[in-house]
Amino acid sequence: TNNIMELTALIKAYQSLPTNEAVEVFTDSNLCVQTINEWAKTWEARGWKRKTGPIANLDLVQTLYNEQKKRPLVRLKWIKAHNGWLWNEYA
């Protein structure tokens, strides 16, 4: 699915970054941004469970969240898709 590809791309991006450098990573996947910036910490604390059912693509979510934790200075940010931003259009 597109979510698998978005998560996989972000994992690869994070793995290419140094662990001690402030970097902004942009994605047009608000689901990925919310997953990492808002939900993953709570899910981890609950034993990787949600109130409403299983977490989709849990293996990828856990991998990306672990990469984020290794790089606390990296900020994952949402950008609107197809808004004319050069690199988003290129991708």
Side-chain angles (χ1 to χ4, degrees), residues 8-80:
T8 301
L10 285 168
I11 290 165
K12 297 296 183 186
Y14 270 72
Q15 289 172 339
S16 73
L17 298 172
T19 57
N20 59 350
E21 194 169 314
V23 176
E24 292 180 330
V25 175
F26 293 91
T27 179
D28 61 12
S29 172
N30 198 36
L31 178 65
C32 288
V33 172
Q34 289 181 303
T35 295
I36 297 307
N37 291 346
E38 298 175 29
W39 305 326
K41 185 176 183 177
T42 302
W43 294 342
E44 182 182 46
R46 288 187 187 147
W48 292 103
K49 295 180 195 254
R50 292 176 40 200
K51 291 179 184 177
T52 59
I55 299 166
N57 306 307
L58 179 58
D59 57 333
L60 296 172
V61 169
Q62 289 173 321
T63 300
L64 179 56
Y65 188 58
N66 285 329
E67 293 299 327
Q68 170 66 46
K69 289 193 302 184
K70 291 178 195 174
R71 295 163 181 83
L73 300 177
V74 173
R75 297 291 170 245
L76 184 59
K77 295 186 172 188
W78 177 78
I79 186 169
K80 185 177 179 181

